[in-house]
């Protein structure tokens, strides 16, 4: 503790003592002066608090008891009397001494202290109210016995409104030992009714720990009144291995909790232990708790569910138009069931990431040998499940990032030793659910990205202006620009041709987002955020003329209303928005739609290869959760439309892939220009 | 970018001690002496955590929490209150007003940081 | 229709302009009135667009354009034949707009004549044969090929009919 802080404390204590003294003197004139009483209480309280913090225990001890007396007086639980005031004054004199001799080194001071304390305690005892002494937490003598617990957490919907982050609770729980957290949804409303500050999620945690139940409870100390919490012992020892890979867990339905009994049952009937080599084969083993269904029948089910979703949307549209309470009740009910059915069906088509990890392990071991790096590769959370079609398209970008981390991120053993790091580099692939998304992180503890070099390179390549003041985030994002060869910039090792721009495009093709967190000397983490499924898309419903389009919300940056005439008369396809000149596409022309031209058009900014491009529509109808349907073979070449969806009114809306659309339009105009120049 | 923590306490020593502890752990700290001061400190800046005393002149801790929760931008920011053991009822009152958790005085630096870690990462 | 669908020799005849065609009923899933069609921008002229077929997206081909006939607007008789055709080993479902559906008829194998190599504006591989009915020829279409090929009609004639 610094001298300065101590001085501040002593000065403040002095002031507080004077303050109390003044109030006591006033109270001697008028014992009922409420201001005086609460002033003493508050000052006493502050003095108690700060003296405790600064190691003046004698001060905090004595002020604690006196404060209690004043609190009772303030709360009307006891009456002020001359005796209290007299003792208070005596205490103040004593406190001044204590400030010089906090640890009662002087025998006189100590005697005085004990005498005063007895006097104050007798004052307290004379009164019925007795404040309990400090909690003495039982020292948890840990026997290293592991136990498995079932912990059920259902936060009340309003929990987020007091600043609680539920995921931290789960984190803290898992930090107590080894465990697995199973999220489930609870009473999730219709999309439009979802409030960002309301919690719809709960967790079931199976935790194997040597800690005591009190330690688990302590995690919830702040939220006991905001959550339904159940902590139950499942079994002695660690049962995670028994249930972690259990099919019931793997193919779990996130719409409902499994329950204590459910988990217990899983633990009681564990799948037989299988070695890693056997794992691949085990997919074929039939388990009593699950049945195998052909993917065609699953597709059929999905189609029926989609039909139901569409029909249900019509029903709610109809019920909205007809003022019948009963109808709207039924409609709402069907909507809820449909939603659950849909979530249920969709989770069935998800597969765990585990299926691709083997390829990564190979790559890491081959590449680290080739590049003479010593790398420990771990994969965590590979039981996270995601749409099969996403996994297929995820492999390439993940391989690329891993290669990047091994090649340019993690230093060679000598270099690492020089930097006081363990010669063995760490590379971790991590996956977990976050809301309706799956997050995949690739973290290395390598050199990190040198942002100064990134900037220099970007300037040299003409990608940015030399004077541009860029934030750290903007600087890291430069890596994703086409034409930015990351390799030579970051480490001086030659690059491999494919840039991070391709990785980002691949990720955005499956409607994901990619981010980088990097610290010089400490490492880099790539964070990929993916939708759980490609069959459902959160979109913006927009119109041109009579045609409905859906734009994925993830690609929408901003919307502006602009006069249609101004857009049409622009000869260079650039528009001034927020002091920036941005290229735009007047889609009416590109789509050859001529009906119902509006006076005002909507320019929607989407990001394309790191820059913003405007797409012009007539109207924005609102957000829409679309069930994606393929357009089929006949529209293979129109891949700027990733599919279609059926709206509540039965019309078909086309789902746009902005990246592909813009790419195609740019090519189109380039060719046209070439043609025009040639002619 | 380091997280910003607003520390409100009418005791300068506690304020400085808490501030120093947090700053040495890498947080940026803004300090205020009471609720009124706190509200002025907010002024649309990004705040990741508020640590406030309860007994304060003018706007007290409970009233401050209610005010913070009323502001849309801060309706979900974590708030920790500084309490003492004698104030069990106060904890509940603070929670009801919208506090996220509490730190019991007196505390040592490790304890303070541990509690802060519980609510922001 | 389902019982007749079993019979290989049942055909559904339909009209395009003033020409008559017939499709094996085994390939025809149903006949629809024309609903609202959503045109997919930047797609070929003969692709009318997509429609909602009970919650699924059905691509719809403008058969007139596909066959190189002059475009007209739809009439009360216009309808969509929902067809199941084989393409590269897969069955795909599509809709084909026709001017009018005539009738379902039984055709005896012996009544089917070979297609003359000259005198028809359609490439011969798309026509399985012809039958004569009430002094008019009905062309029996090879649906699998017709709707999966880029060019159905002979180009010279198409150019002639467009001008």
């Amino acid at each position: 503790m610094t001298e300065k802080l101590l001085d501040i404390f002593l000065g403040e204590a002095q002031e507080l003592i004077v303050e109390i003294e003044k109030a006591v003197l006033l109270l001697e004139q008028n014992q009922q002066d409420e201001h005086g009483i609460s002033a003493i209480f508050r000052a006493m309280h502050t003095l108690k608090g700060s003296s405790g913090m600064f190691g003046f225990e004698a001060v905090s001890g004595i002020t604690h008891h006196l404060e209690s007396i004043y609190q009772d007086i303030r709360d009307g639980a006891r009456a002020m009397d001359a005796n209290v005031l007299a003792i208070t004054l005596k205490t103040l004199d004593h406190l001044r001494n204590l400030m010089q001799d906090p640890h009662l080194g002087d025998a006189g001071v100590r005697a005085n202290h004990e005498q005063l304390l007895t006097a104050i305690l007798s004052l307290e005892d004379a009164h019925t109210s007795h404040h309990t002494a400090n909690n003495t937490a039982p020292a948890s003598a840990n026997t290293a016995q592991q136990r498995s617990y079932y912990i059920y957490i259902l936060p009340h919907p309003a929990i987020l409104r007091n600043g609680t982050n539920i995921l931290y609770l789960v984190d803290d729980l898992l930090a107590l030992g080894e465990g697995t957290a199973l999220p489930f949804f609870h009473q999730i409303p219709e999309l439009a009714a979802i409030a960002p500050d309301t919690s719809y999620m709960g967790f079931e945690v199976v935790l194997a720990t040597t800690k005591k139940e009190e330690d688990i409870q302590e995690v919830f100390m702040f939220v006991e009144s905001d959550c339904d919490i159940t902590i139950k012992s499942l079994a002695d020892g660690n049962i995670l291995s028994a249930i972690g890979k259990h099919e019931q867990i793997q193919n779990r339905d996130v719409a409902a909790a499994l329950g204590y009994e459910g988990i217990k049952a899983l633990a009681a009937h564990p799948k037989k232990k299988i070695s890693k080599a056997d794992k691949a084969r085990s997919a074929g083993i039939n388990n009593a708790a699950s049945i195998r269904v052909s993917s065609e029948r699953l597709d059929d089910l999905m189609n029926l569910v989609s039909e139901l979703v569409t029909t249900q949307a019509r029903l709610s549209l109809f019920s909205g138009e007809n003022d019948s309470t009963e109808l709207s009740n039924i409609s709402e009910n069907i909507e809820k069931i449909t939603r659950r059915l849909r979530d249920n069906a969709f989770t069935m088509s998800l597969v765990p990431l585990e299926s691709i990890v083997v390829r990564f392990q190979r790559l890491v071991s081959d590449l680290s040998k080739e590049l003479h790096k010593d790398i420990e590769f771990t994969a965590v959370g590979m039981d996270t499940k995601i749409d099969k079609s996403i996994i297929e398209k995820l492999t390439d970008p993940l391989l690329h990032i891993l290669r990047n981390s091994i090649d340019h991120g993690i230093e060679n053993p000598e270099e690492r030793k020089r930097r006081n790091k363990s010669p063995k580099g760490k590379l971790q692939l991590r996956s977990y659910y976050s809301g309706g998304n799956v997050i995949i992180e690739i973290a290395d503890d390598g050199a990190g990205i040198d942002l100064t070099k990134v900037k220099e390179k970007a300037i040299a390549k003409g990608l940015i202006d030399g004077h541009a003041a860029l934030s750290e985030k903007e600087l890291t994002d430069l890596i994703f620009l086409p034409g930015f060869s990351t390799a030579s910039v970051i480490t001086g090792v030659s690059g491999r041709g494919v840039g991070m721009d391709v990785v980002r495009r691949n990720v955005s093709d499956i409607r994901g987002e990619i981010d980088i967190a990097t610290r010089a000397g400490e490492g880099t983490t790539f964070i990929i955020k993916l939708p759980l499924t490609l069959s459902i898309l959160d979109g913006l419903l927009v119109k041109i003329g009579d045609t409905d389009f859906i734009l994925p919300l993830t690609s929408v940056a901003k919307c502006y209303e602009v006069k249609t005439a101004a857009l049409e008369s622009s000869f260079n396809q650039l528009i001034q928005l927020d002091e920036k000149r941005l290229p735009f596409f007047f889609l009416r022309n590109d789509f050859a739609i001529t009906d119902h031209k509006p006076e005002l058009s909507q320019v929607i900014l989407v990001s394309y290869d790191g820059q913003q491009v405007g797409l012009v529509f007539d109207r924005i109808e609102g957000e829409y959760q679309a069930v994606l349907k393929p357009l089929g073979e006949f529209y293979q070449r129109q891949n700027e439309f990733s599919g279609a969806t059926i709206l509540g009114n039965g019309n078909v809306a086309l789902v746009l892939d902005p990246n592909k659309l813009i790419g195609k339009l740019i090519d189109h105009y380039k060719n046209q220009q070439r043609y025009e120049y040639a002619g | 970018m380091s997280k910003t923590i607003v520390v409100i306490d009418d005791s300068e020593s506690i304020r400085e001690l808490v501030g120093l502890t947090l700053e040495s752990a890498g947080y940026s700290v803004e300090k205020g002496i009471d609720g009124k001061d706190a509200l002025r400190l907010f002024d649309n800046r990004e705040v990741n955590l508020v640590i406030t005393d309860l007994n304060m002149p003018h706007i007290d801790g409970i009233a401050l929490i209610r005010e913070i929760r009323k502001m849309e931008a801060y309706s979900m920011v974590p708030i920790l209150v500084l309490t003492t053991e004698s104030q069990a009822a106060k904890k509940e009152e603070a929670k009801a007003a919208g506090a996220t958790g509490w730190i019991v005085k007196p505390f040592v630096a490790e304890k303070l940081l541990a509690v802060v870690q519980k609510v922001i990462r | 229709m389902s019982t007749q669908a079993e019979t290989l020799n049942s055909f559904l005849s339909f009209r395009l302009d003033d020409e008559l065609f017939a499709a094996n009923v085994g390939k025809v899933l149903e006949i629809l009135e024309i609903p609202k069609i959503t045109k997919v921008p930047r797609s070929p002229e003969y692709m009318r667009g997509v429609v909602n077929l009970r919650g699924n997206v059905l691509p719809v081909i403008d058969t007139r354009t596909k066959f190189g006939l002059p475009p007209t607007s739809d009439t009360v008789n216009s309808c969509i034949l929902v067809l199941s055709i084989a393409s590269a080993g897969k069955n795909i479902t599509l809709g084909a707009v026709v001017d009018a559906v005539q009738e379902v008829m039984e055709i005896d194998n012996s009544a089917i004549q070979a297609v003359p190599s000259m005198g028809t504006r359609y490439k011969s591989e798309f026509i399985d044969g012809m039958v004569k009915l009430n002094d008019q020829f009905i062309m029996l279409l090879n649906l699998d090929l017709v709707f999966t090929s880029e060019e159905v009609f002979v180009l010279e004639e198409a150019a002639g009919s467009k001008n």
Side-chain angles (χ1 to χ4, degrees):
Chain A
M1 192 179 308
T2 64
E3 282 299 308
K4 183 177 162 257
L5 264 177
L6 189 62
D7 281 349
I8 292 175
F9 165 70
L10 288 175
E12 181 185 273
Q14 210 57 53
E15 278 170 31
L16 289 168
I17 292 170
V18 171
E19 218 174 282
I20 298 171
E21 201 163 32
K22 273 190 202 155
V24 171
L25 295 176
L26 280 173
L27 278 166
E28 281 182 334
Q29 310 298 315
N30 172 14
Q31 290 191 355
Q32 306 313 315
D33 180 15
E34 282 178 27
H35 284 294
I37 293 168
S38 65
I40 294 177
F41 168 73
R42 205 169 52 231
M44 206 64 94
H45 179 78
T46 305
L47 189 56
K48 178 186 79 173
S50 51
S51 55
M53 312 265 311
F54 284 81
F56 285 61
E57 271 114 19
V59 175
S60 64
I62 205 161
T63 45
H64 170 68
H65 294 290
L66 209 48
E67 179 204 352
S68 302
I69 293 172
Y70 276 92
Q71 184 172 10
D72 284 348
I73 297 173
R74 190 194 61 172
D75 296 345
R78 78 181 282 161
M80 173 58 96
D81 58 46
N83 205 3
V84 172
L85 289 175
I87 287 191
T88 310
L89 278 179
K90 271 192 199 160
T91 309
L92 291 179
D93 292 336
H94 176 58
L95 285 175
R96 288 199 169 96
N97 290 329
L98 279 180
M99 290 301 155
Q100 309 306 318
D101 182 12
H103 301 295
L104 309 172
D106 183 282
V109 173
R110 193 183 320 147
N112 197 11
H113 187 76
E114 269 148 27
Q115 200 192 333
L116 259 173
L117 208 53
T118 321
I120 294 169
L121 283 174
S122 70
L123 264 183
E124 258 191 293
D125 282 343
H127 194 71
T128 45
S129 141
H130 188 82
H131 292 272
T132 45
N134 285 5
N135 267 350
T136 45
S140 49
N142 277 341
T143 51
Q145 195 70 45
Q146 243 193 354
R147 238 186 131 61
S148 296
Y149 290 92
Y150 168 82
I151 302 149
Y152 171 91
I153 316 157
L154 178 60
H156 298 168
I159 193 167
L160 304 178
R161 276 168 237 160
N162 63 26
T164 302
N165 186 326
I166 303 160
L167 292 177
Y168 294 168
L169 295 175
V170 175
D171 251 16
D172 287 349
L173 271 182
L174 296 182
L176 292 176
E178 192 189 338
T180 178
L182 309 164
F184 61 87
F185 290 114
H186 182 72
Q187 295 179 346
I188 204 157
E190 186 191 344
L191 187 71
I194 288 182
D197 61 352
T198 302
S199 164
Y200 306 102
M201 192 168 226
F203 285 92
E204 290 175 292
V205 176
V206 180
L207 177 72
T209 178
T210 54
K211 297 264 164 54
K212 296 197 157 188
E213 204 171 311
E214 293 97 80
D215 297 313
I216 301 176
Q217 267 157 0
E218 202 191 283
V219 169
F220 300 110
M221 62 185 281
F222 291 159
V223 295
E224 275 163 353
S225 55
D226 306 316
C227 291
D228 295 342
I229 296 160
T230 312
I231 302 169
K232 279 186 179 175
S233 164
L234 277 165
D236 283 330
N238 184 342
I239 61 157
L240 278 163
S241 51
I243 68 156
K245 299 279 171 263
H246 205 286
E247 232 150 313
Q248 197 105 338
I249 299 251
Q250 303 272 313
N251 303 321
R252 204 174 58 86
D253 161 21
V254 290
L258 287 168
Y260 172 73
E261 294 302 332
I263 299 249
K264 189 144 183 143
L266 294 187
H269 305 285
K271 264 175 85 170
K272 65 169 182 177
K273 277 201 174 167
I274 40 175
S275 70
K276 264 209 163 138
D278 278 338
K279 241 181 206 170
R281 260 180 283 144
S282 76
I285 296 173
N286 231 329
N287 189 300
S290 70
I291 53 162
R292 286 159 60 86
V293 178
S294 77
S295 57
E296 276 157 43
R297 294 189 61 181
L298 211 52
D299 287 347
D300 279 351
L301 175 67
M302 304 288 259
N303 281 335
L304 285 170
V305 168
S306 306
E307 241 176 81
L308 184 64
V309 168
T310 311
T311 315
Q312 176 268 313
R314 278 175 63 192
L315 177 65
S316 35
L317 199 71
F318 178 74
S319 122
E321 285 162 0
N322 291 271
D323 195 17
S324 155
T325 326
E326 188 159 6
L327 178 64
S328 72
N329 281 345
I330 296 173
S331 161
E332 270 167 36
N333 232 326
I334 290 190
E335 185 174 337
K336 271 185 211 144
I337 299 167
T338 310
R339 189 168 292 275
R340 287 188 57 183
L341 179 63
R342 190 199 63 192
D343 291 346
N344 229 308
F346 279 121
T347 33
M348 283 188 216
S349 60
L350 305 182
V351 290
L353 277 169
E354 212 152 34
S355 53
I356 47 170
V357 174
V358 186
R359 288 188 60 186
F360 298 152
Q361 273 156 345
R362 274 295 297 279
L363 175 94
V364 176
S365 90
D366 290 355
L367 211 57
S368 37
K369 265 182 221 133
E370 186 189 321
L371 296 165
H372 309 291
K373 307 249 168 117
D374 192 4
I375 293 172
E376 183 191 334
F377 176 67
T378 48
V380 180
M382 290 304 112
D383 47 355
T384 308
K385 299 207 296 181
I386 193 161
D387 200 298
K388 196 162 157 283
S389 50
I390 297 182
I391 289 207
E392 282 159 10
K393 290 177 183 141
L394 194 62
T395 320
D396 277 352
L398 285 183
L399 284 174
H400 190 86
I401 294 171
L402 284 170
R403 192 177 288 139
N404 219 59
S405 296
I406 298 167
D407 195 352
H408 315 306
I410 295 178
E411 315 90 329
N412 60 40
E414 299 73 44
E415 174 71 28
R416 291 180 65 89
K417 270 187 223 152
R418 256 200 306 283
R419 297 187 182 207
N420 282 328
K421 289 179 173 181
S422 147
K424 208 180 187 73
K426 283 201 181 104
L427 184 57
Q428 192 179 56
L429 181 67
R430 201 167 33 227
S431 181
Y432 53 91
Y433 297 102
S434 165
N437 295 95
V438 167
I439 310 286
I440 297 176
E441 294 179 354
I442 296 132
D444 68 54
D445 67 344
I449 297 172
D450 187 336
L451 293 176
T452 335
K453 284 190 185 165
V454 167
K455 190 171 182 183
E456 283 165 16
K457 183 82 177 192
I459 294 170
K461 293 225 159 197
L463 295 168
I464 53 164
D465 194 297
H467 309 290
L470 296 180
S471 68
E472 258 181 44
K473 164 107 177 77
E474 285 167 319
L475 279 173
T476 19
D477 276 353
L478 290 174
I479 288 160
F480 291 118
L481 285 183
F484 190 99
S485 152
T486 53
S488 55
V489 179
I490 295 155
T491 57
V493 180
S494 63
R496 274 170 195 274
V498 188
M500 290 303 293
D501 56 321
V502 177
V503 170
R504 181 163 73 173
R505 203 168 318 133
N506 286 344
V507 169
S508 89
D509 275 351
I510 41 178
R511 302 211 310 267
E513 290 165 39
I514 184 165
D515 241 323
I516 303 181
T518 186
R519 269 193 161 192
E522 290 177 26
T524 304
T525 304
F526 289 85
I527 304 138
I528 300 176
K529 185 173 161 193
L530 294 164
L532 261 180
T533 166
L534 290 179
S535 355
I536 305 179
L537 172 134
D538 288 315
L540 196 63
L541 180 59
V542 292
K543 272 193 129 149
I544 303 177
D546 216 14
T547 313
D548 298 287
F549 296 93
I550 302 263
L551 207 54
L553 266 188
T554 48
S555 53
V556 174
K558 242 175 169 179
C559 307
Y560 296 87
E561 197 165 62
V562 176
K563 284 208 175 86
T564 310
L567 295 165
E568 281 182 299
S569 62
S570 156
F571 58 94
N572 55 2
Q573 303 241 80
L574 287 173
I575 183 171
Q576 187 91 13
L577 291 171
D578 286 352
E579 287 159 27
K580 268 189 259 173
R581 284 160 70 77
L582 298 169
F584 72 91
F585 292 101
F586 191 65
L587 294 182
R588 247 175 189 276
N589 288 349
D590 300 302
F591 288 175
I593 298 172
T594 49
D595 59 323
H596 304 105
K597 196 193 300 179
E599 261 179 49
L600 290 171
S601 288
Q602 308 295 327
V603 180
I604 299 181
L605 291 188
V606 301
S607 63
Y608 176 78
D609 265 347
Q611 72 162 314
Q612 302 216 302
V613 176
L615 294 177
V616 184
F617 297 89
D618 288 1
R619 283 209 309 280
I620 298 174
E621 301 277 316
E623 287 185 20
Y624 190 85
Q625 198 178 34
V627 179
L628 261 185
K629 301 276 175 184
L631 279 176
E633 323 237 324
F634 288 100
Y635 291 107
Q636 258 171 9
R637 290 196 200 152
Q638 281 69 50
N639 65 356
E640 60 267 48
F641 299 99
S642 48
T645 193
I646 315 268
L647 301 178
N649 60 11
N651 286 348
V652 179
L654 301 170
V655 179
L656 276 166
D657 178 336
N659 262 321
K660 293 224 171 69
L661 175 68
I662 293 168
K664 279 183 146 185
L665 291 177
I666 288 174
D667 285 349
H668 171 77
Y669 284 106
K670 267 190 199 151
N671 287 336
Q672 203 178 39
Q673 261 171 9
R674 207 172 296 137
Y675 176 75
E676 275 165 9
Y677 289 143
Chain B
M1 209 189 63
S2 68
K3 306 242 177 199
T4 302
I5 302 180
V6 170
V7 177
I8 310 298
D9 199 309
D10 56 340
S11 155
E12 187 188 1
S13 62
I14 300 241
R15 214 160 58 224
E16 293 302 324
L17 183 65
V18 170
L20 199 72
T21 309
L22 294 172
E23 272 163 3
S24 61
Y27 298 102
S28 12
V29 178
E30 297 290 338
K31 285 162 277 194
I33 59 162
D34 59 24
K36 237 175 168 169
D37 208 22
L39 292 172
R40 196 171 54 235
L41 272 174
F42 270 71
D43 188 35
N44 276 329
R45 86 173 69 210
E46 179 170 349
V47 175
N48 301 101
L49 171 66
V50 180
I51 299 178
T52 179
D53 191 21
L54 286 176
N55 289 290
M56 292 184 296
H58 309 299
I59 303 174
D60 77 353
I62 302 283
L64 172 65
I65 295 169
R66 292 209 179 96
E67 285 304 316
I68 294 173
R69 290 293 178 233
K70 268 190 227 160
M71 297 187 280
E72 198 184 339
Y74 304 107
S75 65
M76 285 160 76
V77 71
I79 303 175
L80 292 173
V81 295
L82 297 166
T83 66
T84 48
E85 274 305 331
S86 62
Q87 288 184 298
K90 275 276 177 191
K91 278 185 206 165
E92 288 315 312
E93 200 187 331
K95 280 244 53 171
T100 313
W102 53 84
I103 304 168
V104 179
K105 285 189 283 194
F107 48 81
V108 293
E110 292 77 40
K111 170 81 181 169
L112 170 68
L113 293 174
V115 177
V116 167
Q117 280 280 317
K118 273 179 96 76
V119 294
I120 57 171
R121 306 260 147 116
Chain C
M1 207 167 73
S2 60
T3 50
Q4 284 169 334
E6 315 287 332
T7 327
L8 279 170
N9 286 353
S10 292
F11 286 83
L12 175 74
S13 67
F14 58 88
R15 191 172 51 77
L16 284 177
D17 221 16
D18 50 8
E19 295 185 52
L20 281 178
F21 298 86
N24 192 313
V25 294
K27 299 270 184 193
V28 183
L29 301 177
E30 60 184 304
I31 299 166
L32 302 175
E33 278 182 60
I34 297 187
K36 183 184 153 132
I37 300 181
T38 304
K39 172 86 187 159
V40 178
R42 303 159 55 78
S43 58
E45 193 70 7
Y46 63 82
M47 294 305 301
R48 270 288 284 271
V50 285
V51 302
N52 167 12
L53 178 64
R54 288 187 302 276
N56 280 311
V57 174
L58 180 77
V60 175
I61 291 179
D62 191 300
T63 320
R64 288 182 69 108
T65 319
K66 180 88 186 166
F67 286 11
L69 297 165
T72 56
S73 14
D74 296 333
T75 69
V76 283
N77 289 325
S78 307
C79 59
I80 294 177
L81 302 185
V82 182
L83 306 170
S84 169
I85 62 167
S87 164
K90 274 189 299 181
N91 276 329
I92 49 180
T93 308
L94 66 92
V97 177
V98 298
D99 289 351
V101 171
Q102 302 290 109
E103 58 181 324
V104 175
M105 50 189 170
E106 301 282 321
I107 297 173
D108 198 68
N109 270 345
S110 63
I112 301 178
Q113 306 171 17
V115 186
S117 54
M118 300 285 287
T120 146
R121 45 200 302 280
Y122 305 103
K123 291 184 177 170
S124 56
E125 62 259 44
F126 299 125
I127 314 290
D128 283 341
M130 299 169 84
V131 282
K132 196 173 182 186
L133 194 77
N134 307 333
D135 287 338
Q136 201 178 1
F137 277 107
I138 302 177
M139 275 173 277
L140 307 182
L141 289 173
N142 182 330
L143 294 171
D144 293 346
L145 281 181
V146 163
F147 289 110
T148 53
S149 308
E150 286 290 307
E151 275 144 21
V152 175
F153 52 90
V154 182
L155 270 174
E156 293 81 4
E157 292 201 28
S161 71
K162 263 184 186 168
N163 287 342

